Amino acid sequence: DSGVTQTPKHLITATGQRVTLRCSPRSGDLSVYWYQQSLDQGLQFLIQYYNGEERAKGNILERFSAQQFPDLHSELNLSSLELGDSALYFCASSVGEKGEQYFGPGTRLTVT
Amino acid sequence: AQTVTQSQPEMSVQEAETVTLSCTYDTSESDYYLFWYKQPPSRQMILVIRQEAYKQQNATENRFSVNFQKAAKSFSLKISDSQLGDAAMYFCAYRSPSGSARQLTFGSGTQLTVLP
């Protein structure tokens, strides 16, 4: 158990819908990262937050957005969902911006 | 941009034997971090080992060790005395030490099968 929690574990939704994935970092960790793992794209970095501020953006679609709240939990919002958005979404956290990243168990999103 | 290549999509090893997983990377930076992550069937991503580029000594964690060749941009993982629980997908990952690129860049993974 890494100490990073993600909810829900599984999510099944229809095309065009909007979902929110939630992540709680390890106690004391200020940095949160979101990654997407899909069969065709592999593991890809989406976005990073540090102490509430966006720090880096990767291959994140405009339909996707995220935020980190004052209690340091983070949410990833996916809207206008397409079949190709079906993937495993991981959240990871680290103490600062230089520490090891510890991953949560992931949220499996299936878009039908 | 940095790239990470794992050229072995699948490998197998007999229980109690030793196996080496390969990873190469491309970067223009002189200082960086390299990692191996393990993803078992549960899909959890587990940090196995980490190497700082400025350290010449190869990292070791119990049965796991790396062979870091900075000039060749090679970072292989050696698993000694393989156990059934080592069966998993293994990902090599790169991270910059500074600037905005603190995220991990992953290779495509190597699926390791451990044969009893």
Side-chain angles (χ1 to χ4, degrees):
Chain A
D1 185 358
S2 66
V4 180
T5 60
Q6 288 186 249
T7 56
K9 278 185 127 175
H10 302 279
L11 201 47
I12 301 174
T13 189
T15 54
Q17 295 298 305
R18 173 189 168 95
V19 297
T20 297
L21 312 183
R22 183 189 168 103
C23 167
S24 292
R26 294 186 316 160
S27 177
D29 284 1
L30 300 178
S31 203
V32 169
Y33 304 77
W34 286 97
Y35 293 88
Q36 178 196 58
Q37 185 178 28
S38 61
L39 281 174
D40 49 345
Q41 303 275 4
L43 265 161
Q44 285 198 104
F45 166 71
L46 294 178
I47 197 163
Q48 178 208 354
Y49 280 83
Y50 177 78
N51 204 19
E53 291 187 9
E54 182 185 303
R55 287 294 244 234
K57 260 185 172 178
N59 297 322
I60 188 165
L61 300 171
E62 284 190 15
R63 301 183 284 108
F64 296 1
S65 65
Q67 55 184 172
Q68 186 178 27
F69 294 86
D71 67 352
L72 300 178
H73 92 270
S74 178
E75 293 181 356
L76 179 66
N77 300 296
L78 315 176
S79 61
S80 303
L81 285 167
E82 302 175 359
L83 295 178
D85 297 328
S86 295
L88 189 54
Y89 291 85
F90 285 108
C91 165
S93 73
S94 64
V95 172
E97 294 184 271
K98 295 185 177 183
E100 283 89 1
Q101 294 179 27
Y102 293 90
F103 282 72
T107 293
R108 164 81 60 192
L109 173 67
T110 302
V111 182
T112 62
Chain B
Q2 293 79 22
T3 58
V4 178
T5 301
Q6 293 178 251
S7 57
Q8 307 155 314
E10 298 177 348
M11 289 198 72
S12 62
V13 62
Q14 210 71 37
E15 199 176 358
E17 296 295 306
T18 295
V19 65
T20 298
L21 309 184
S22 300
C23 171
T24 58
Y25 57 93
D26 188 26
T27 183
S28 58
E29 297 176 315
S30 59
D31 194 18
Y32 46 86
Y33 298 94
L34 296 165
F35 304 86
W36 280 97
Y37 279 86
K38 168 185 176 180
Q39 187 178 41
S42 67
R43 307 299 261 172
Q44 174 79 49
M45 292 288 287
I46 302 166
L47 177 62
V48 175
I49 200 165
R50 133 189 179 145
Q51 175 79 43
E52 291 94 336
Y54 65 86
K55 288 187 177 178
Q56 292 189 340
Q57 187 173 5
N58 289 322
T60 298
E61 287 287 341
N62 301 314
R63 297 182 296 106
F64 298 86
S65 61
V66 299
N67 183 5
F68 173 49
Q69 301 288 329
K70 191 173 184 179
K73 295 180 183 174
S74 169
F75 181 60
S76 60
L77 175 69
K78 185 171 86 170
I79 307 174
S80 304
D81 185 25
S82 296
Q83 301 175 359
L84 294 176
D86 295 333
M89 180 74 89
Y90 286 81
F91 291 96
C92 178
Y94 174 102
R95 200 193 81 206
S96 295
S98 60
S100 63
R102 304 288 174 84
Q103 71 270 21
L104 295 166
T105 299
F106 288 92
S108 55
T110 296
Q111 182 68 51
L112 178 66
T113 301
V114 180
L115 305 169

